[in-house]
Amino acid sequence: MGSKLYELGRYINVKGVLDYIEERRHEDGGYCFVSVLNDTNVNDTYYAVKIHDLLGMEVSEGEKTIDFLEKAIQPQTAVVAIAMALEGLAILGAKDVAMEHLDVVFTKYNPLENKFAVGLGGSEEFGTATPLEATYWVVKAFNAIGHRFSSDEKEAIRAFVMRFRNGNGFGVKQPTTTMTYQALFTLRALGYRPPKSPHFGSCELCPMGGFTEVPYSLPPYLEPTFYAVRALELQGERASCPTDHIRFIKALQNSNGGFRRSLELGISNFQNTYRALAVVDSMIKYL
């Protein structure tokens, strides 16, 4: 734990991050990125768990957080949020609890019944979740809890993901960094080996730092930077200018300790704070 805090602390204010997260923990075991509100939610709670895990730290009163995440797995809950809750439970050592609720997932997401978009609800990136995003989150959650898809389910998911193939990447109208990563992660997690995509290299900005959502555009944002770094690692590649990317991330930290998504504007939130930590954690390996 101390080593990770020290390594990241050389580049960003990690104590500020910890204070930012802890000040937003509530008695029900959940978290809310707006500290004055009691409206705890799965998204913020999931990223609080991920931040603690990345830093090698235990979540304060983790049993309460386990209860909070389990109670959030309801038929009316959006499938992305359910997947987050399942993965969060796995990280907290409660895989058995997560496995008890798989039936809820299959009422909303069932590849053998062509259910890829039932009750999508909110999205991480786009306002309303895309079926590809939901697929990515469900596959990631099932990997975390140790549930394996059948061969027929895998093939149905693969065929569905390939509908989004667009040139050198994946997307709806054009390939995007987020959707290309989600597609590649999903395929590889299911045991397939898609060809490497050159998309991410076309979105890297050196010496400015950061990555963009589509090639040869400006400005860089945190979310495509996170997904591009993850994708390059998935493909056995690396970013070209890690020092520039660290400098970009450092500039995104707000005075409250959290991170925003762009240089120009933005309030802190938990998902951007986790992504910032994850990018720096990846980049310092190459220095």
Coordinates of all heavy atoms in Angstrom, one line a residue, residues 18-58:
L18 N -7.7 10.9 -1.5 CA -8.3 10.1 -0.4 C -9.2 11.0 0.5 O -10.3 10.5 0.9 CB -7.1 9.6 0.5 CG -6.2 8.5 -0.2 CD1 -5.1 8.2 0.7 CD2 -7.0 7.3 -0.5
D19 N -8.9 12.2 0.7 CA -9.8 13.1 1.5 C -11.1 13.3 0.7 O -12.2 13.3 1.3 CB -9.1 14.4 1.8 CG -8.0 14.3 2.8 OD1 -7.9 13.3 3.5 OD2 -7.1 15.2 2.8
Y20 N -10.9 13.5 -0.6 CA -12.1 13.8 -1.5 C -13.1 12.6 -1.4 O -14.3 12.8 -1.3 CB -11.6 14.0 -2.9 CG -12.7 14.0 -4.0 CD1 -13.6 15.1 -4.1 CD2 -12.8 13.0 -4.9 CE1 -14.6 15.1 -5.0 CE2 -13.7 13.0 -5.9 CZ -14.6 14.0 -6.0 OH -15.6 14.0 -6.9
I21 N -12.6 11.4 -1.5 CA -13.4 10.2 -1.5 C -14.0 10.0 -0.1 O -15.3 9.8 0.0 CB -12.6 9.0 -1.9 CG1 -12.1 9.1 -3.3 CG2 -13.5 7.7 -1.8 CD1 -13.1 9.2 -4.4
E22 N -13.2 10.1 0.9 CA -13.7 9.7 2.3 C -14.8 10.7 2.8 O -15.7 10.4 3.5 CB -12.5 9.7 3.3 CG -12.9 9.2 4.7 CD -13.4 7.8 4.7 OE1 -13.1 7.0 3.8 OE2 -14.1 7.5 5.7
E23 N -14.6 12.0 2.4 CA -15.6 13.0 2.8 C -17.0 12.8 2.2 O -18.0 13.4 2.6 CB -15.1 14.4 2.4 CG -13.9 14.9 3.2 CD -13.3 16.2 2.6 OE1 -13.8 16.6 1.6 OE2 -12.3 16.6 3.2
R24 N -17.0 11.9 1.2 CA -18.3 11.6 0.4 C -18.8 10.2 0.7 O -19.7 9.8 0.0 CB -18.0 11.9 -1.1 CG -17.9 13.4 -1.3 CD -17.1 13.7 -2.6 NE -17.0 15.1 -2.8 CZ -16.2 16.0 -2.2 NH1 -15.4 15.5 -1.3 NH2 -16.2 17.3 -2.5
R25 N -18.3 9.6 1.7 CA -18.9 8.3 2.2 C -20.0 8.6 3.2 O -19.9 9.4 4.0 CB -17.8 7.5 2.9 CG -18.2 6.1 3.4 CD -17.1 5.3 3.8 NE -16.3 5.9 4.9 CZ -16.6 5.7 6.2 NH1 -17.6 5.0 6.6 NH2 -15.9 6.3 7.1
H26 N -21.1 7.8 3.0 CA -22.3 8.0 3.8 C -22.5 6.8 4.7 O -22.0 5.7 4.5 CB -23.5 8.3 2.9 CG -23.3 9.6 2.3 ND1 -23.9 10.8 2.8 CD2 -22.7 10.0 1.1 CE1 -23.6 11.8 2.0 NE2 -22.9 11.4 1.0
E27 N -23.4 6.9 5.7 CA -23.7 5.9 6.7 C -24.3 4.6 6.1 O -24.1 3.6 6.7 CB -24.6 6.5 7.7 CG -23.9 7.3 8.8 CD -22.8 6.5 9.5 OE1 -23.1 5.4 10.0 OE2 -21.6 7.0 9.5
D28 N -24.9 4.7 4.9 CA -25.5 3.5 4.3 C -24.5 2.7 3.6 O -24.8 1.6 3.0 CB -26.6 3.9 3.4 CG -26.2 4.7 2.2 OD1 -25.0 5.1 2.1 OD2 -27.0 5.0 1.3
G29 N -23.2 3.1 3.6 CA -22.1 2.3 2.9 C -21.9 2.8 1.5 O -21.0 2.3 0.9
G30 N -22.8 3.7 1.0 CA -22.6 4.2 -0.4 C -21.9 5.5 -0.4 O -21.5 6.1 0.7
Y31 N -21.6 6.0 -1.6 CA -20.9 7.2 -1.8 C -21.7 8.1 -2.8 O -22.5 7.6 -3.6 CB -19.5 6.9 -2.4 CG -18.6 6.2 -1.5 CD1 -18.7 4.9 -1.2 CD2 -17.5 6.9 -0.9 CE1 -17.8 4.2 -0.4 CE2 -16.6 6.3 -0.1 CZ -16.8 4.9 0.2 OH -15.9 4.3 1.0
C32 N -21.5 9.4 -2.6 CA -22.1 10.4 -3.6 C -21.0 11.5 -3.8 O -20.5 12.1 -2.9 CB -23.3 11.0 -3.0 SG -24.1 12.3 -4.0
F33 N -20.7 11.7 -5.1 CA -19.6 12.7 -5.4 C -19.9 14.1 -5.0 O -19.1 14.9 -4.9 CB -19.2 12.5 -6.9 CG -20.0 13.4 -7.8 CD1 -19.6 14.7 -8.2 CD2 -21.1 12.8 -8.4 CE1 -20.3 15.4 -9.1 CE2 -21.8 13.6 -9.4 CZ -21.4 14.9 -9.7
V34 N -21.2 14.4 -4.8 CA -21.6 15.7 -4.3 C -21.8 15.6 -2.8 O -22.7 15.0 -2.3 CB -23.0 16.2 -5.0 CG1 -23.3 17.6 -4.5 CG2 -22.9 16.2 -6.5
S35 N -20.8 16.1 -2.1 CA -20.7 15.8 -0.7 C -21.9 16.2 0.1 O -22.2 15.6 1.2 CB -19.4 16.5 -0.1 OG -19.5 17.9 -0.3
V36 N -22.6 17.3 -0.3 CA -23.7 17.7 0.5 C -25.0 17.0 0.3 O -26.0 17.2 1.0 CB -24.0 19.2 0.2 CG1 -22.8 20.1 0.6 CG2 -24.4 19.4 -1.2
L37 N -25.0 16.0 -0.6 CA -26.2 15.2 -0.9 C -26.1 13.9 -0.3 O -25.0 13.3 -0.2 CB -26.4 15.1 -2.4 CG -26.6 16.4 -3.2 CD1 -26.8 16.0 -4.7 CD2 -27.8 17.2 -2.7
N38 N -27.3 13.3 0.1 CA -27.3 12.0 0.7 C -27.8 11.0 -0.4 O -28.1 9.8 -0.1 CB -28.3 11.9 1.8 CG -27.8 12.6 3.1 OD1 -26.6 12.4 3.4 ND2 -28.6 13.3 3.8
D39 N -27.7 11.4 -1.6 CA -28.2 10.6 -2.8 C -27.1 9.6 -3.2 O -26.6 9.8 -4.3 CB -28.7 11.5 -3.9 CG -29.4 10.7 -5.0 OD1 -29.8 9.6 -4.7 OD2 -29.4 11.2 -6.1
T40 N -26.7 8.7 -2.3 CA -25.7 7.7 -2.7 C -26.2 6.9 -3.9 O -27.4 6.6 -4.1 CB -25.4 6.8 -1.5 OG1 -26.6 6.3 -0.9 CG2 -24.6 7.6 -0.4
N41 N -25.2 6.4 -4.7 CA -25.6 5.7 -5.9 C -24.5 4.7 -6.2 O -23.4 4.7 -5.7 CB -25.8 6.7 -7.0 CG -24.5 7.5 -7.3 OD1 -23.6 7.0 -8.0 ND2 -24.4 8.7 -6.8
V42 N -24.9 3.7 -7.1 CA -24.0 2.6 -7.5 C -22.7 3.1 -8.2 O -21.6 2.7 -7.9 CB -24.7 1.6 -8.3 CG1 -23.8 0.5 -8.8 CG2 -25.9 1.0 -7.6
N43 N -22.9 4.1 -9.1 CA -21.8 4.5 -9.9 C -20.7 5.1 -9.0 O -19.5 4.7 -9.1 CB -22.2 5.6 -10.9 CG -21.1 6.1 -11.8 OD1 -20.2 6.8 -11.4 ND2 -21.2 5.7 -13.1
D44 N -21.0 6.0 -8.1 CA -20.0 6.6 -7.2 C -19.4 5.5 -6.3 O -18.2 5.5 -6.0 CB -20.6 7.7 -6.4 CG -20.9 9.0 -7.3 OD1 -20.3 9.1 -8.4 OD2 -21.7 9.8 -6.9
T45 N -20.3 4.7 -5.8 CA -19.8 3.6 -4.9 C -18.9 2.7 -5.6 O -17.8 2.3 -5.0 CB -21.0 2.9 -4.3 OG1 -21.9 3.8 -3.7 CG2 -20.6 1.9 -3.2
Y46 N -19.2 2.3 -6.8 CA -18.3 1.4 -7.6 C -16.9 2.0 -7.7 O -15.9 1.4 -7.5 CB -18.9 1.1 -8.9 CG -18.0 0.5 -9.9 CD1 -17.8 -0.9 -9.9 CD2 -17.4 1.3 -10.9 CE1 -16.9 -1.4 -10.9 CE2 -16.5 0.7 -11.9 CZ -16.3 -0.7 -11.8 OH -15.5 -1.2 -12.7
Y47 N -16.9 3.3 -8.1 CA -15.6 3.9 -8.3 C -14.8 4.2 -7.0 O -13.6 4.2 -7.0 CB -15.8 5.2 -9.2 CG -15.9 4.9 -10.6 CD1 -17.1 5.0 -11.3 CD2 -14.8 4.3 -11.3 CE1 -17.2 4.7 -12.7 CE2 -14.9 4.0 -12.7 CZ -16.1 4.2 -13.3 OH -16.2 3.8 -14.6
A48 N -15.5 4.4 -6.0 CA -14.8 4.5 -4.7 C -14.1 3.2 -4.4 O -13.0 3.2 -3.9 CB -15.8 4.9 -3.6
V49 N -14.8 2.1 -4.6 CA -14.2 0.8 -4.4 C -13.0 0.6 -5.3 O -12.0 0.1 -4.9 CB -15.3 -0.3 -4.6 CG1 -14.6 -1.7 -4.6 CG2 -16.4 -0.3 -3.6
K50 N -13.2 1.0 -6.6 CA -12.1 0.8 -7.6 C -10.9 1.6 -7.2 O -9.7 1.2 -7.3 CB -12.6 1.2 -9.0 CG -13.6 0.3 -9.6 CD -13.0 -1.0 -10.1 CE -12.2 -0.8 -11.4 NZ -11.7 -2.1 -11.9
I51 N -11.1 2.8 -6.7 CA -10.0 3.7 -6.2 C -9.2 3.1 -5.1 O -8.0 3.0 -5.1 CB -10.5 5.1 -5.9 CG1 -10.9 5.8 -7.2 CG2 -9.4 5.9 -5.1 CD1 -11.7 7.1 -6.9
H52 N -10.0 2.6 -4.1 CA -9.3 1.9 -3.0 C -8.5 0.7 -3.4 O -7.4 0.4 -3.0 CB -10.4 1.5 -1.9 CG -10.9 2.6 -1.1 ND1 -11.9 3.5 -1.4 CD2 -10.4 3.0 0.2 CE1 -12.1 4.4 -0.5 NE2 -11.2 4.1 0.5
D53 N -9.1 -0.1 -4.3 CA -8.5 -1.3 -4.8 C -7.2 -0.9 -5.6 O -6.1 -1.6 -5.4 CB -9.4 -2.0 -5.8 CG -8.8 -3.4 -6.2 OD1 -8.4 -4.2 -5.4 OD2 -8.8 -3.6 -7.4
L54 N -7.2 0.1 -6.4 CA -6.0 0.5 -7.2 C -4.9 0.9 -6.2 O -3.7 0.7 -6.5 CB -6.4 1.7 -8.1 CG -5.3 2.1 -9.1 CD1 -6.0 2.7 -10.3 CD2 -4.4 3.2 -8.5
L55 N -5.3 1.6 -5.1 CA -4.3 2.1 -4.2 C -3.9 1.0 -3.2 O -3.0 1.3 -2.3 CB -4.9 3.3 -3.4 CG -5.1 4.6 -4.3 CD1 -5.8 5.7 -3.5 CD2 -3.8 5.1 -4.9
G56 N -4.5 -0.2 -3.2 CA -4.2 -1.2 -2.3 C -4.7 -1.0 -0.9 O -4.1 -1.4 0.1
M57 N -5.8 -0.3 -0.8 CA -6.4 0.1 0.5 C -7.7 -0.6 0.7 O -8.5 -0.8 -0.3 CB -6.5 1.6 0.6 CG -5.3 2.4 0.4 SD -5.5 4.2 0.5 CE -5.9 4.3 2.2
E58 N -8.1 -0.8 1.9 CA -9.4 -1.4 2.2 C -10.4 -0.2 2.3 O -10.1 0.9 2.7 CB -9.4 -2.1 3.6 CG -8.6 -3.4 3.6 CD -8.7 -4.2 4.8 OE1 -9.5 -3.7 5.7 OE2 -8.1 -5.2 5.0

